[in-house]
Amino acid sequence: MSSLKSAFRATRLTATTFLIKEYDDVYAERPHIYAKIVPSADTILVVDMGCGGRSVDPDVEVTSLREFIETFPVQDNDGKALNPGGTMSYIIVTTHCHYDHILAIEQFAGSPILASSHSPEFLSPSALPHNTLCSSLGLELPQYTPTLVPHGFEIHTSEGTPTGVKVLHTPGHTPDELALYDETEKMLYVGDTLYEKERIIFPNEGSISIWFSSMDFMIDFVEKENRRIMGVPGGQSGEVLINAGHATSLRPALEVLNGAKAFLAEVVEGKELVKRKYVVRGEMNVEYDQESGQFSLRCPEKLVVEAQTQKVPSK
Ligand SMILES: [Zn+2]
């Protein structure tokens, strides 16, 4: 094993998929980066790019995500790097443009970078410094030009080989938030739409009412997938699992989606008490903590008020 110390840790989730976690970043985001190896396409699909290896630990030597993927021995991968020597091509997907999902992206310049086409203006070059939160944090915006892809887009390599992964538009956290579904592995990647045991956050640019629509879509999608999996002869090998941009991975998707939706419905119905109030980026924010500790929320107060004027979803 390497004696070098890395800002990242990789663990195996499935036969082809790894979670790469930045465990000690200076922003305390602890972002999840997912790497799916597609041997048939000689490609590695990387979901999100993390915080650029900016660790609080001064002894960390490997701070480049690309260097980690190409050189760092991973115990769960028989002691080999995930993409030894960088021989496999990359496809990068950003679940949305927030800084803690893009800071390493320049290391992959020249590879396709996919993002949601739901709101091209949100990702326009003039809007990115603000919408990535880079400008409010005093960070230099990484330079990248995403290819904007539609809802239902099936990701193929440049040679046309399918990766088995498809893009779903799930706006709410931000207008460009997307989810990915890996049909072979039955894995749903939801970025910052939700997670457990860490505060779900909406920025000023988010929308709780649009989030509910995306949640309804995903719940329906996962219910159908779970039924399909059960219906395949010999296919009772489990339900769809969910992987989020922070904290949550390999959890039953339907249970987590329904739980998060129910919690936010209680917030909007006024059944959860505001625990704290303070100003973030010029907007009064409110915090709610579910008693069980599974879900908590921080969002601009105006988003709750706006959602209250819309129809409160049925649970
Ligand atoms: Zn985010």
Side-chain angles (χ1 to χ4, degrees):
M1 292 295 282
S2 166
S3 56
L4 291 175
K5 202 168 182 189
S6 167
F8 311 92
R9 280 189 196 128
T11 49
R12 181 184 288 280
L13 300 182
T14 72
T16 63
T17 307
F18 293 83
L19 164 63
I20 304 170
K21 192 174 176 87
E22 257 181 280
Y23 58 92
D24 220 0
D25 61 285
V26 296
Y27 312 104
E29 295 284 1
R30 295 178 289 277
H32 284 184
I33 297 155
Y34 295 95
K36 178 185 167 69
I37 295 161
V38 190
S40 60
D42 211 17
T43 291
I44 181 163
L45 182 73
V46 186
V47 183
D48 284 332
M49 295 268 99
C51 291
R54 293 166 168 90
S55 173
V56 295
D57 182 349
D59 296 333
V60 155
E61 292 152 295
V62 178
T63 58
S64 157
L65 175 62
R66 186 158 184 169
E67 183 185 343
F68 176 82
I69 291 173
E70 297 184 0
T71 68
F72 201 83
V74 173
Q75 206 170 7
D76 281 4
N77 196 35
D78 303 324
K80 295 193 303 270
L82 299 181
N83 185 14
T87 52
M88 284 186 279
S89 307
Y90 291 97
I91 299 175
I92 310 301
V93 183
T94 55
T95 60
H96 63 298
C97 71
H98 278 158
Y99 76 100
D100 52 322
H101 300 257
I102 61 161
L103 285 182
I105 208 159
E106 287 179 341
Q107 295 162 19
F108 297 85
S111 302
I113 296 168
L114 309 182
S116 166
S117 68
H118 180 73
S119 175
E121 60 275 18
F122 191 78
L123 295 176
S124 67
S126 62
L128 271 183
H130 178 269
N131 289 340
T132 55
L133 310 179
C134 281
S135 53
S136 63
L137 289 164
L139 293 168
E140 198 174 329
L141 177 72
Q143 294 302 302
Y144 72 108
T145 308
T147 301
L148 306 188
V149 298
H151 181 65
F153 181 81
E154 294 186 358
I155 302 174
H156 288 68
T157 65
S158 49
E159 287 79 40
T161 312
T163 63
V165 177
K166 99 171 136 182
V167 173
L168 307 168
H169 288 185
T170 53
H173 174 68
T174 55
D176 69 324
E177 179 70 53
L178 60 74
L180 293 174
Y181 185 60
D182 179 346
E183 188 176 311
T184 322
E185 302 272 23
K186 302 165 208 148
M187 299 264 266
L188 182 69
Y189 299 88
V190 296
D192 280 5
T193 293
L194 60 84
Y195 19 81
E196 303 158 285
K197 305 212 166 79
E198 271 194 35
R199 207 156 267 125
I200 297 170
I201 293 177
F202 284 81
N204 296 343
E205 297 75 23
S207 164
I208 291 176
S209 48
I210 293 171
W211 182 92
F212 277 122
S213 305
S214 292
M215 291 294 284
D216 285 340
F217 165 76
M218 279 192 283
I219 288 166
D220 184 56
F221 181 89
V222 170
E223 281 174 347
K224 285 188 181 132
E225 267 307 284
N226 282 349
R227 279 201 295 273
R228 188 184 66 80
I229 294 161
M230 295 300 282
V232 174
Q236 298 185 7
S237 52
E239 57 190 311
V240 175
L241 300 179
I242 198 165
N243 301 285
H246 307 261
T248 293
S249 68
L250 283 189
R251 292 265 298 129
L254 196 57
E255 177 196 321
V256 175
L257 289 164
N258 277 322
K261 183 188 164 190
F263 171 58
L264 261 73
E266 302 248 297
V267 165
V268 171
E269 288 163 10
K271 292 179 185 163
E272 287 281 345
L273 292 177
V274 175
K275 294 286 161 61
R276 282 165 292 277
K277 269 179 110 156
Y278 47 89
V279 174
V280 180
R281 291 171 67 221
E283 282 286 339
M284 182 56 75
N285 272 237
V286 282
E287 278 187 9
Y288 301 85
D289 301 324
Q290 196 178 46
E291 198 153 306
S292 71
Q294 188 182 9
F295 295 106
S296 55
L297 170 70
R298 187 198 92 199
C299 66
E301 191 171 28
K302 67 174 185 184
L303 299 190
V304 178
V305 174
E306 185 184 273
Q308 282 166 343
T309 65
Q310 316 276 330
K311 183 177 158 288
V312 174
S314 57
K315 273 178 277 174

